[in-house]
Amino acid sequence: MPRYMSLIRIDENNNPGGPSDELMERMGKLMEEMTKAGVLLDTSGLHPTSEGKRVLYSGGELSVTDGPFTETKEVIGGYAVFQTKDEAEALEWTKRFLKIHEEQWTITCELREIVEG
């Protein structure tokens, strides 16, 4: 069965202040359902870019930039890895994840199949 990664993209500068207790409860229930269905392999949120680093390799040279990355509007805020029968099933789980959020959230999930082998 193919595996898919859903990259959860958010705008750190226009964030509604983090997830509410109600959202965390809904998220926990959905994650439990996904785990019982055998499709959720891994998921997590990420610390803000202010705590991260970017490593660039260009022209044979490495450079490291400390966060936050102010020139970036949308950043990866988390991820989920699914193992589903096909892309359509992974897409449905991704849609369900997005729909549990309150209306003030603006989130993009980029769904991509993981290369096997």
Side-chain angles (χ1 to χ4, degrees), residues 10-13 15 46-54 65-77:
I10 62 169
D11 179 350
E12 280 188 322
N13 300 317
N15 187 322
L46 299 175
H47 286 273
T49 61
S50 61
E51 299 175 27
K53 301 204 181 298
R54 274 198 185 144
T65 304
D66 293 333
F69 313 118
T70 54
E71 72 282 1
T72 303
K73 180 178 179 184
E74 199 175 68
V75 299
I76 298 173

Side-chain angles (χ1 to χ4, degrees), residues 18 25 44 54 58 60 79 84 88 96 103 112 116:
E25 185 177 329
S44 189
R54 274 198 185 144
S58 178
Y79 68 92
T84 57
R96 286 188 61 192
E103 289 182 8
R112 298 176 57 186
E116 301 294 341

Side-chain angles (χ1 to χ4, degrees), residues 1-110:
M1 288 185 18
R3 294 182 303 148
Y4 295 88
M5 178 174 274
S6 181
L7 299 168
I8 302 158
R9 297 180 180 272
I10 62 169
D11 179 350
E12 280 188 322
N13 300 317
N14 193 18
N15 187 322
S20 65
D21 291 342
E22 294 82 9
L23 173 56
M24 291 304 294
E25 185 177 329
R26 289 190 303 274
M27 211 177 290
K29 287 178 182 176
L30 180 61
M31 299 305 149
E32 184 178 334
E33 181 183 349
M34 294 170 78
T35 300
K36 286 180 180 177
V39 300
L40 184 64
L41 300 179
D42 191 20
T43 188
S44 189
L46 299 175
H47 286 273
T49 61
S50 61
E51 299 175 27
K53 301 204 181 298
R54 274 198 185 144
V55 182
L56 173 67
Y57 180 74
S58 178
E61 300 292 324
L62 286 171
S63 64
V64 178
T65 304
D66 293 333
F69 313 118
T70 54
E71 72 282 1
T72 303
K73 180 178 179 184
E74 199 175 68
V75 299
I76 298 173
Y79 68 92
V81 178
F82 310 124
Q83 186 165 28
T84 57
K85 64 182 182 222
D86 56 25
E87 183 182 67
E89 182 183 5
L91 184 58
E92 281 307 309
W93 286 112
T94 298
K95 288 177 181 179
R96 286 188 61 192
F97 170 77
L98 288 172
K99 286 181 180 179
I100 65 172
H101 288 77
E102 292 96 358
E103 289 182 8
Q104 69 266 26
W105 284 87
T106 300
I107 307 169
T108 302
C109 283
E110 180 180 333

